[in-house]
Amino acid sequence: ILNVEQSPQSLHVQEGDSTNFTCSFPSSNFYALHWYRWETAKSPEALFVMTLNGDEKKKGRISATLNTKEGYSYLYIKGSQPEDSATYLCAHNEGANNLFFGTGTRLTVIP
Amino acid sequence: DGGITQSPKYLFRKEGQNVTLSCEQNLNHDAMYWYRQDPGQGLRLIYYSQIVNDFQKGDIAEGYSVSREKKESFPLTVTSAQKNPTAFYLCASSIGLDKNTFGSGTRLTVV
């Protein structure tokens, strides 16, 4: 994998459903993996920064895991709410350089 | 409140003209970044600066210039050499390689 890839590109879930999406990144020269939430008409907001293989982080109903050896991270949302509707961006620090962003997963939670 | 301010929110430019986008932060962050977003693509890095009076090219620096004369300010000039400048531009700052704090963006349209 040369770039950061996110899947799916978009998804719709019913309120109350749990969901998850994937970020794949180059596993060589890993430094850190970032997750951001970007709501329409607002600035991207940092959710997590993870650096260690096996890291799991949680913020309310949102959690993330990291596998640096195979180059992927999962973001989970438990009991989705309409306010969770946003684009979720993943970004990868390669070495000690700048962030490389994926194209994002656009989540729509239907009331 | 600390944060990043980008101005203007919307900007129209005639072909062949240079235009400067403002980015100011009062977070005392050393590092600042400019990203560009196009439809269907992730954020791409234009330029970044890790300390005052120093900056580095990102992935798509051609046709852009920056300056970092003060810690708080990192203006981006879109020059006439930029072939396709119509895009959404985001400025961000961070402490080292920690999470980015983003501004609200400037949408530039060439008319």
Side-chain angles (χ1 to χ4, degrees):
Chain A
I1 297 172
L2 297 179
N3 298 313
V4 178
E5 297 175 357
Q6 291 188 248
S7 64
Q9 193 170 19
S10 66
L11 76 161
H12 292 71
V13 301
Q14 290 292 138
E15 181 176 354
D17 286 352
S18 295
T19 188
N20 65 86
F21 18 95
T22 305
C23 172
S24 301
F25 53 88
S27 55
S28 60
N29 211 21
F30 174 85
Y31 189 86
L33 192 285
H34 297 225
W35 280 101
Y36 293 87
R37 174 170 60 200
W38 194 359
E39 296 178 67
T40 302
K42 294 186 178 180
S43 309
E45 171 199 358
L47 289 173
F48 307 113
V49 179
M50 297 185 287
T51 56
L52 297 176
N53 184 43
D55 254 356
E56 288 190 34
K57 295 216 171 177
K58 189 174 180 181
K59 187 176 181 179
R61 293 179 291 100
I62 303 176
S63 59
T65 61
L66 177 66
N67 183 323
T68 61
K69 294 185 178 180
E70 296 182 39
Y72 65 84
S73 174
Y74 293 135
L75 189 79
Y76 301 90
I77 302 178
K78 185 178 179 182
S80 303
Q81 299 297 309
E83 58 264 30
D84 296 329
S85 297
T87 296
Y88 290 82
L89 294 172
C90 160
H92 165 242
N93 278 121
E94 183 178 295
N97 294 322
N98 45 276
L99 287 176
F100 294 92
F101 280 85
T103 54
T105 292
R106 180 182 290 276
L107 172 67
T108 303
V109 181
I110 303 165
Chain B
D1 285 339
I4 296 186
T5 302
Q6 286 188 244
S7 61
K9 193 168 184 176
Y10 299 96
L11 189 57
F12 296 87
R13 187 196 93 175
K14 291 184 179 179
E15 279 195 46
Q17 285 183 337
N18 291 356
V19 65
T20 298
L21 282 58
S22 168
C23 178
E24 305 278 330
Q25 54 101 357
N26 59 4
L27 299 166
N28 202 32
H29 286 174
D30 287 314
M32 296 188 74
Y33 313 84
W34 274 105
Y35 296 95
R36 167 181 171 142
Q37 190 196 34
D38 295 282
Q41 297 199 38
L43 299 179
R44 292 184 292 166
L45 185 70
I46 305 171
Y47 268 97
Y48 65 102
S49 167
Q50 293 179 326
I51 56 172
V52 174
N53 292 321
D54 184 61
F55 48 83
Q56 306 294 329
K57 292 182 179 180
D59 304 315
I60 53 167
E62 186 176 349
Y64 298 97
S65 66
V66 292
S67 62
R68 187 84 188 277
E69 296 176 4
K70 299 186 298 181
K71 189 175 187 177
E72 301 79 18
S73 179
F74 191 39
L76 174 75
T77 297
V78 185
T79 75
S80 56
Q82 169 50 237
K83 300 300 180 194
N84 187 19
T86 295
F88 185 71
Y89 292 87
L90 270 175
C91 177
S93 70
S94 70
I95 298 173
L97 291 173
D98 199 1
K99 61 182 180 181
N100 280 196
T101 300
F102 286 88
S104 54
T106 294
R107 187 167 297 280
L108 173 65
T109 304
V110 173
V111 297

